[in-house]
């Protein structure tokens, strides 16, 4: 018990929680925007991998870190457009198309990486984002290390949570996106194009997913390898359900999973001799339990995964 309390009371744990949660925050916001518009995007795992590669490669070729994030976002938008073209415009299966996007984006990212980058015994690296030190705030006990010594993309992710929540709840654009996922016929009756709204939402959401992947190569690490996303995309899909399609709850879900993950890493060193596989699976088991507890009360968007064709009822 004392070991557990010591770990929970350490500022380094909570600093790690924010770092681990950052790609999840971007990913879950992207998936949430897509699904609020009525489109399930199972291409997230591949889109995050492509974002990780394209952002890293842009910096490796001499671009700035911020330009690398932009390049990642643009690559995500491209795959988002492809997913929307197949599912929104053509009405194909969102499940099958999403899995196809994941396979295509993940394989293409590794192919381009091997084609454009000379890989030796050690993978090439870049200079990643450095933690930002805030005057006075970064020197505060506990909070300074836990909250005010993060990299810029982490603060950007937190800002996007507030921005997404405000847009969805307080703006005409957010109302149009929500109605496209609830009743696209009502959107059409108001003179708006639900197909265009869904396409734009999928592209915007996919851009955020790709930025989440870029965080891994440009802030958490400094190199790219094809398996680095490690299932984070699928966790984001589950977190959307956990959050009941609400950005604020999505942030809580991402932080909760990150807490489980950071906690198990420290337990591995605090309890030597125990099988490490138990610690590795703990975050996923706890996430499944949390999902089961809230999934029955979650309200799914009415038109989620339902293709819209003008004139049909």
């Amino acid at each position: 018990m004392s070991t557990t309390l010591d770990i929970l009371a350490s500022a380094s744990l909570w600093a790690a929680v924010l770092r681990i949660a950052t790609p999840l925050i971007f990913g879950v916001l992207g998936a949430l925007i897509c699904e609020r518009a009525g489109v399930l995007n199972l291409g997230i795992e591949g889109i995050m991998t492509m974002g990780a590669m394209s952002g890293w490669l842009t910096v490796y070729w001499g671009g700035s870190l911020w330009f690398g994030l932009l390049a990642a976002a643009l690559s995500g938008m491209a795959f988002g457009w492809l997913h929307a073209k197949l599912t929104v415009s053509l009405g194909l299966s969102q499940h099958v198309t999403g899995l196809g996007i994941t396979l295509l984006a993940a394989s293409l990212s590794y192919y381009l990486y091997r084609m454009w980058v000379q890989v030796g015994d050690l993978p090439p690296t870049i200079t990643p984002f450095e933690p930002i030190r805030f005057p006075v705030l970064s020197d505060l006990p506990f909070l300074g290390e836990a909250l005010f010594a993060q990299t810029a993309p982490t603060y950007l992710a937190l800002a996007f949570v507030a921005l997404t929540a405000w847009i969805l709840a307080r703006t005409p654009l957010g109302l149009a996106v929500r109605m496209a996922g609830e009743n696209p016929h009502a959107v059409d009756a108001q003179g708006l194009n639900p197909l265009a709204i869904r396409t734009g939402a999928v592209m915007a959401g996919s851009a955020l997913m790709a930025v989440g992947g870029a965080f891994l190569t440009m802030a958490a690490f400094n190199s790219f390898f094809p398996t680095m996303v490690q299932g984070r995309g699928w966790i984001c899909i589950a977190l959307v359900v956990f959050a009941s399609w609400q950005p604020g709850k999505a942030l809580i879900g991402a932080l909760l999973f990150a807490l489980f993950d950071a906690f198990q890493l420290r337990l591995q060193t605090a309890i030597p001799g125990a099988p490490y596989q138990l610690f590795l699976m703990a975050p996923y088991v706890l996430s499944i339990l949390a999902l089961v507890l809230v999934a029955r009360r979650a309200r799914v968007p009415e038109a989620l995964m339902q293709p819209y064709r003008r004139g049909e009822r």
Side-chain angles (χ1 to χ4, degrees):
M1 179 62 72
S2 60
T3 300
T4 299
L5 293 177
D6 290 341
I7 294 175
L8 291 175
S10 65
S12 62
L13 169 72
W14 297 101
V17 167
L18 273 178
R19 289 195 300 271
I20 295 172
T22 298
L24 298 176
I25 294 171
F26 280 117
V28 73
L29 286 178
L32 185 148
I33 291 171
C34 294
E35 294 186 26
R36 288 301 293 264
V39 180
L40 177 67
N41 191 349
L42 294 182
I44 180 172
E45 187 82 2
I47 290 172
M48 290 183 74
T49 304
M50 177 57 73
M53 192 282 297
S54 58
W56 180 89
L57 188 62
T58 300
V59 179
Y60 181 73
W61 280 345
S64 68
L65 290 168
W66 289 104
F67 194 69
L69 288 182
L70 176 61
L74 291 175
S75 71
M77 290 180 68
F79 279 97
W81 175 85
L82 177 60
H83 183 63
K85 187 68 176 177
L86 296 173
T87 59
V88 176
S89 300
L90 301 179
L92 302 182
S93 169
Q94 296 180 11
H95 294 92
V96 175
T97 301
L99 294 175
I101 293 292
T102 281
L103 294 174
L104 172 63
S107 302
L108 182 61
S109 64
Y110 186 50
Y111 172 75
L112 295 177
Y113 173 76
R114 292 302 302 266
M115 184 174 66
W116 290 335
V117 179
Q118 186 69 33
V119 180
D121 294 334
L122 295 175
T125 61
I126 62 171
T127 301
F129 280 98
E130 296 291 337
I132 299 175
R133 303 290 300 181
F134 294 91
V136 181
L137 294 177
S138 296
D139 297 324
L140 292 173
F142 191 84
L143 285 179
E145 181 183 349
L147 184 59
F148 297 110
Q150 301 290 336
T151 58
T154 295
Y155 300 115
L156 183 64
L158 297 175
F160 266 111
V161 173
L163 180 62
T164 302
W166 177 74
I167 290 176
L168 288 176
R170 301 292 183 180
T171 67
L173 174 61
L175 176 61
V177 170
R178 288 187 286 121
M179 286 307 299
E182 296 286 349
N183 190 346
H185 296 284
V187 176
D188 201 356
Q190 293 297 316
L192 301 176
N193 186 345
L195 300 181
I197 293 171
R198 284 185 168 185
T199 298
V202 173
M203 292 177 66
S206 299
L208 288 176
M209 296 172 186
V211 172
F215 173 85
L216 298 173
T217 51
M218 298 169 59
F221 307 102
N222 59 1
S223 59
F224 170 79
F225 52 94
T227 59
M228 67 188 317
V229 176
Q230 293 184 329
R232 289 178 177 87
W234 310 126
I235 292 296
C236 290
I237 295 295
L239 287 177
V240 174
V241 181
F242 172 84
S244 300
W245 291 268
Q246 300 295 327
K249 293 181 180 180
L251 172 62
I252 294 173
L255 292 173
L256 188 61
F257 179 85
L259 174 61
F260 295 155
D261 198 9
F263 189 70
Q264 65 88 12
L265 289 172
R266 283 153 179 79
L267 277 181
Q268 287 188 47
T269 58
I271 309 178
Y276 72 92
Q277 293 89 347
L278 295 177
F279 298 109
L280 290 177
M281 73 179 188
Y284 299 93
V285 173
L286 293 173
S287 298
I288 291 172
L289 292 176
L291 183 63
V292 169
L293 291 175
V294 302
R296 292 183 178 181
R297 299 192 300 270
R299 182 184 175 278
V300 182
E302 292 289 338
L304 179 62
M305 295 186 290
Q306 296 180 10
Y308 173 75
R309 295 179 178 85
R310 183 166 294 176
E312 290 187 2
R313 290 288 181 180

